[in-house]
Amino acid sequence: MPKVSEEHAAARREQILAAAQACFARKGFHATSMNDIFAEAGLSAGAVYSYFKSKDEIIATMTSRAILLLAPFFDSVLAEDPPVPLHEVMRRFAALVQELSDGPMSVAPQVWSAATYDPELAPLVVANMRQARAFWTEVASRERKAGRLAPDADPEAVGAVLFTMVAGHLVDHKLLGDISPELLARGLRDLGGAARD
Amino acid sequence: MPKVSEEHAAARREQILAAAQACFARKGFHATSMNDIFAEAGLSAGAVYSYFKSKDEIIATMTSRAILLLAPFFDSVLAEDPPVPLHEVMRRFAALVQELSDGPMSVAPQVWSAATYDPELAPLVVANMRQARAFWTEVASRERKAGRLAPDADPEAVGAVLFTMVAGHLVDHKLLGDISPELLARGLRDLGGAARD
Amino acid sequence: MPKVSEEHAAARREQILAAAQACFARKGFHATSMNDIFAEAGLSAGAVYSYFKSKDEIIATMTSRAILLLAPFFDSVLAEDPPVPLHEVMRRFAALVQELSDGPMSVAPQVWSAATYDPELAPLVVANMRQARAFWTEVASRERKAGRLAPDADPEAVGAVLFTMVAGHLVDHKLLGDISPELLARGLRDLGGAARD
Amino acid sequence: MPKVSEEHAAARREQILAAAQACFARKGFHATSMNDIFAEAGLSAGAVYSYFKSKDEIIATMTSRAILLLAPFFDSVLAEDPPVPLHEVMRRFAALVQELSDGPMSVAPQVWSAATYDPELAPLVVANMRQARAFWTEVASRERKAGRLAPDADPEAVGAVLFTMVAGHLVDHKLLGDISPELLARGLRDLGGAARD
DNA sequence: TATGAATGAGGTTTCATTCAT
DNA sequence: CATGAATGAAACCTCATTCAT
């Protein structure tokens, strides 16, 4: 009995989140009015508000779910054996980011920005970031084990560098649009091939 | 003759921009009302509006000036001879970013975010980004010339990687706060020392 | 045959009225949403609406029934012989009011207030008031007959005074809470013992 | 310099309070929308909101000032020597209430009602009530001193009776409209003339 | 010139009520 | 019959901007 209802409710929530995402991508959080979301979702005000308590809750929910966008990627990379080389991981990652950059990831810069001054949002974003950073640190660690990084290389440090590229790449891609996954991968390889003589 | 007056006007504009920046850092662009800015600047509504046509113009002006924050750094690094090693440039850059992150750079994430959907703002941000990217490409180029990158390394590619870290590092620092300049520098060095056997 | 059904219906109506009363006492007519009433009654929206056409009808029904709260008291006082002394009637009345003031009478001030500007509600309240006033006039009349008021005393006038105390006492009790039935009774007795020399 | 401004501000506040009062008398607190008040006051939304933070603040301000309506009456009665007889005080009081009942006092029943469930409002109302009660107790006390109440009469008790008539009379007058000041005064006299033989 | 009171469109949210299931 | 999801009008309030003084 609750099943139909629950499934229905879940579907409605997705519908609303998708609509909100589309609006946010177009106009940003603030310039998007709740009316915009109602229209995009094809629902009435009351309907939307029966699934989300407020606009902020919609944003918070989107934020909390953001990591789900990348989790499958993280998992699949870590599942491969032998370990994928660093630069190839970055290439794939950048490709994924670019693919999602007009869709589900389009709001990420807004979320990072808002987390900068909104104490409600910050913890949600931080939680996601820690997961991403842990992934890149693990990638660095495997790279070292595979002998493709010096034995005394610090995976935390390399991980920090790679992680730092995450947010940066999305922003840069959205604004400049001319940084290809291959370019980034090559850049990492070229950095790695230093003084190899 | 108009000089005193002009200086006065310039000072007023700085005063307003500083006030706006402080407010924006605290509450974000949207939640900052013009009244907040009037109060922070200690000026009347009319006074502020005689120096800036609109709130958007204040934001645009702040955005346009952002590059000035980094230009001296870029210049001084490029002026050094022999060229500063890559990882040291990054260390200094990260230190500068962290130093400015609560002050003049605090609004950068908001600007990047807004540029994502605001067609008026995007060109201003893009102009700044191109300068930054050119800087990092030049750094990569010098690193290669110095023999610290492989002769066939692509400075554009390495520059893209380094540039990508700019936006990323500011966001990560503001939200996580535990990535030191030294860690990033070490990460770059460790990437560079790969598989040297 | 329709009897079970009718009883059931009556019970449901009482259930709803009781729930509404509890909500109204807590938050007032306006701040009580129909949802609050659904929850308090443990019924669905549709269920409640099948017994009452609207929120206003619930309020009107409660108002119309208000006099039923006092009718048994009025009847029992008038049934006593010899007639109960004025001050004792007031003492008992005040005690009853205080007893009911957190329950069924809790909404009376809201009803009086609403009747002040709501032309639908006013006649219902006026009907109740006329009954109460008639009661107090009758009490005054008996008091005179018993020789405890001057022969030329006007029962209408004395009744008006006593009646006036009805609404006043409920409000004062709910807000101040420190006027005992005994104090009021004593006040009436002390008024009555005037200038006896 | 602030003088013009302050006078102006005070005048605007009065203008708004008067408009609100008129609306509240017509439709009640809740059915009166802020738009109604804007229209009645001939001001814009922003103008009204620059003088009062919220609708509730308007109501609270009106409530706090309510006692000012009666204070001059209280003072003038207590200033008279020899003391005005009880029934005459009540006559004058009832006359004043009736005079104000369509104007400044028209909202009093709504205020009492709201104070019943609104914890923000209650203290303001209680403060006013205590002043009124003290007045009536003083009247009773003087009546006793004048020998028109028995020497062992309790002014607190008589005061409570008289005070109770305050709220009651306003409500009854507004709803029934047929209780004259003279009738109440006579009622009190008749109560006082008991058993005088 | 500098002020700050005023504007009023537009924002978010609520809630009495209905009706398809 | 009963349910409770959906409706959508309307509420309160904010704030960028203007302009009379």
Side-chain angles (χ1 to χ4, degrees):
Chain A
M1 193 187 338
K3 193 149 157 241
V4 167
S5 200
E6 260 168 45
E7 270 169 22
H8 177 78
R12 275 277 191 268
R13 284 176 70 91
E14 296 310 318
Q15 178 185 358
I16 292 163
L17 287 170
Q21 186 169 79
C23 294
F24 291 159
R26 256 196 313 271
K27 310 169 62 173
F29 288 159
H30 300 304
T32 295
S33 72
M34 289 305 287
N35 266 330
D36 292 335
I37 297 178
F38 306 152
E40 180 83 20
L43 291 172
S44 67
V48 169
Y49 272 90
S50 74
Y51 292 99
F52 292 94
K53 270 205 304 284
S54 66
K55 190 181 183 181
D56 280 354
E57 195 183 274
I58 294 179
I59 294 173
T61 302
M62 273 178 50
T63 301
S64 293
R65 289 177 171 207
I67 198 63
L68 300 178
L69 293 174
L70 300 180
F73 170 79
F74 291 168
D75 291 346
S76 84
V77 165
L78 295 182
E80 279 191 50
D81 192 42
V84 189
L86 192 74
H87 59 83
E88 169 62 8
V89 179
M90 181 59 74
R91 194 195 59 75
R92 292 194 206 164
F93 179 78
L96 177 63
V97 164
Q98 298 197 9
E99 185 191 321
L100 301 179
S101 71
D102 284 335
M105 286 202 77
S106 56
V107 298
Q110 299 180 54
V111 166
W112 295 327
S113 161
T116 268
Y117 51 81
D118 178 347
E120 312 266 304
L121 215 46
L124 304 177
V125 177
V126 165
N128 286 347
M129 285 188 153
R130 290 206 190 288
Q131 288 192 51
R133 185 170 168 189
F135 166 77
W136 288 106
T137 300
E138 175 65 16
V139 167
S141 183
R142 292 184 182 203
E143 189 79 352
R144 189 179 62 175
K145 259 186 227 139
R148 292 188 295 262
L149 282 185
D152 63 347
D154 178 358
E156 294 276 349
V158 174
V161 166
L162 300 172
F163 164 63
T164 293
M165 295 174 67
V166 174
H169 181 52
L170 177 59
V171 168
D172 295 343
H173 171 66
K174 283 194 80 81
L175 292 175
L176 297 182
D178 61 356
I179 298 182
S180 70
E182 287 70 27
L183 190 71
L184 282 185
R186 161 117 206 235
L188 277 182
R189 256 207 332 270
D190 287 351
L191 267 171
R196 207 177 315 190
D197 53 330
Chain B
M1 263 140 292
K3 192 147 161 246
V4 167
S5 186
E6 257 169 45
E7 271 169 21
H8 178 77
R12 276 275 194 270
R13 284 178 69 91
E14 294 312 315
Q15 179 184 1
I16 292 164
L17 288 169
Q21 185 169 82
C23 293
F24 291 159
R26 261 198 305 274
K27 310 169 61 174
F29 287 159
H30 184 76
T32 294
S33 70
M34 289 303 285
N35 263 332
D36 291 337
I37 297 178
F38 305 153
E40 180 85 20
L43 292 172
S44 69
V48 169
Y49 270 89
S50 72
Y51 292 99
F52 291 94
K53 264 208 307 283
S54 68
K55 190 182 182 181
D56 281 352
E57 195 184 273
I58 294 177
I59 294 173
T61 303
M62 271 177 51
T63 302
S64 294
R65 288 179 173 206
I67 197 64
L68 300 178
L69 293 173
L70 299 179
F73 171 81
F74 291 167
D75 292 345
S76 85
V77 165
L78 294 182
E80 281 192 47
D81 191 42
V84 189
L86 191 64
H87 59 82
E88 169 63 9
V89 179
M90 181 58 74
R91 195 195 58 75
R92 291 192 206 166
F93 178 79
L96 178 63
V97 164
Q98 297 197 11
E99 186 190 321
L100 301 180
S101 70
D102 284 336
M105 287 202 76
S106 56
V107 298
Q110 299 181 55
V111 167
W112 296 327
S113 161
T116 268
Y117 51 80
D118 178 346
E120 312 264 303
L121 214 47
L124 304 178
V125 177
V126 165
N128 287 346
M129 286 189 151
R130 291 209 191 287
Q131 288 192 51
R133 185 171 169 188
F135 166 77
W136 288 105
T137 300
E138 175 65 17
V139 167
S141 182
R142 292 183 185 203
E143 188 80 351
R144 187 178 64 175
K145 259 184 229 141
R148 290 188 298 261
L149 282 185
D152 62 347
D154 178 359
E156 292 278 349
V158 173
V161 166
L162 300 172
F163 164 64
T164 292
M165 295 173 67
V166 174
H169 181 53
L170 177 59
V171 168
D172 295 344
H173 171 67
K174 284 195 79 84
L175 293 175
L176 295 183
D178 61 355
I179 299 181
S180 70
E182 287 70 27
L183 191 72
L184 283 185
R186 162 116 205 236
L188 279 181
R189 259 209 327 273
D190 285 352
L191 267 170
R196 214 172 316 189
D197 55 330
Chain C
M1 258 142 298
K3 194 149 158 239
V4 168
S5 186
E6 257 169 47
E7 271 169 21
H8 178 78
R12 275 276 194 269
R13 284 176 70 91
E14 295 312 316
Q15 179 185 0
I16 292 164
L17 288 169
Q21 185 169 82
C23 294
F24 291 158
R26 262 198 305 273
K27 311 169 60 175
F29 288 159
H30 184 74
T32 294
S33 69
M34 289 303 285
N35 263 332
D36 290 337
I37 297 178
F38 305 153
E40 180 84 20
L43 292 172
S44 69
V48 169
Y49 270 88
S50 72
Y51 292 100
F52 291 94
K53 264 208 306 282
S54 68
K55 190 181 182 181
D56 281 353
E57 196 184 271
I58 295 178
I59 294 173
T61 304
M62 272 178 50
T63 302
S64 294
R65 289 180 172 206
I67 197 62
L68 300 178
L69 293 174
L70 300 179
F73 171 80
F74 291 166
D75 291 347
S76 85
V77 165
L78 295 183
E80 281 192 47
D81 191 40
V84 189
L86 191 63
H87 59 83
E88 169 62 8
V89 180
M90 181 58 75
R91 194 196 59 74
R92 291 194 207 165
F93 178 79
L96 178 64
V97 164
Q98 298 196 11
E99 188 190 321
L100 301 179
S101 70
D102 283 336
M105 288 202 75
S106 55
V107 299
Q110 298 181 54
V111 166
W112 296 326
S113 161
T116 266
Y117 51 80
D118 178 347
E120 314 263 304
L121 214 47
L124 304 177
V125 177
V126 165
N128 287 345
M129 285 188 152
R130 291 209 190 286
Q131 288 192 53
R133 186 171 169 187
F135 165 78
W136 288 105
T137 300
E138 174 64 16
V139 167
S141 183
R142 293 183 182 202
E143 189 80 350
R144 188 179 61 176
K145 259 185 228 141
R148 290 189 299 260
L149 282 185
D152 61 347
D154 178 358
E156 293 276 351
V158 173
V161 166
L162 300 171
F163 164 64
T164 291
M165 294 173 67
V166 173
H169 181 51
L170 177 59
V171 168
D172 296 343
H173 171 66
K174 284 195 78 83
L175 293 175
L176 296 183
D178 62 355
I179 299 181
S180 70
E182 287 71 27
L183 191 72
L184 283 185
R186 162 121 205 230
L188 278 181
R189 259 207 330 272
D190 286 352
L191 267 170
R196 214 170 319 185
D197 56 332
Chain D
M1 192 189 337
K3 193 149 156 243
V4 168
S5 200
E6 259 167 45
E7 271 169 23
H8 177 78
R12 274 276 190 269
R13 283 176 70 91
E14 295 311 317
Q15 178 184 359
I16 292 163
L17 287 170
Q21 186 170 79
C23 293
F24 292 159
R26 257 196 312 270
K27 312 170 60 174
F29 288 159
H30 300 304
T32 294
S33 71
M34 289 305 286
N35 268 329
D36 291 337
I37 297 179
F38 306 151
E40 179 84 20
L43 291 172
S44 66
V48 169
Y49 273 91
S50 74
Y51 293 99
F52 291 94
K53 270 205 303 283
S54 67
K55 190 181 183 181
D56 280 353
E57 195 183 274
I58 294 178
I59 294 174
T61 303
M62 273 178 50
T63 301
S64 294
R65 288 176 172 211
I67 198 63
L68 301 178
L69 294 174
L70 300 179
F73 170 79
F74 292 165
D75 291 345
S76 85
V77 165
L78 295 182
E80 279 192 50
D81 193 40
V84 189
L86 192 76
H87 58 83
E88 169 63 8
V89 179
M90 181 57 76
R91 195 195 59 73
R92 292 195 206 163
F93 179 78
L96 177 64
V97 164
Q98 297 196 11
E99 185 191 321
L100 301 178
S101 71
D102 283 337
M105 286 201 76
S106 56
V107 299
Q110 299 181 53
V111 166
W112 295 327
S113 160
T116 268
Y117 51 80
D118 179 347
E120 311 265 305
L121 215 46
L124 304 177
V125 177
V126 165
N128 286 347
M129 286 189 151
R130 291 206 191 288
Q131 288 193 52
R133 185 171 170 189
F135 166 77
W136 288 106
T137 300
E138 175 65 16
V139 167
S141 184
R142 292 181 182 205
E143 189 79 352
R144 189 179 61 174
K145 262 186 223 137
R148 292 189 298 261
L149 282 185
D152 62 348
D154 179 358
E156 294 276 349
V158 174
V161 166
L162 300 171
F163 164 64
T164 291
M165 295 174 66
V166 172
H169 180 52
L170 177 59
V171 168
D172 294 343
H173 170 66
K174 284 196 78 82
L175 292 175
L176 297 182
D178 62 355
I179 299 180
S180 70
E182 288 70 27
L183 191 71
L184 282 186
R186 163 115 206 237
L188 279 181
R189 259 207 331 272
D190 286 353
L191 267 170
R196 205 178 319 190
D197 53 334

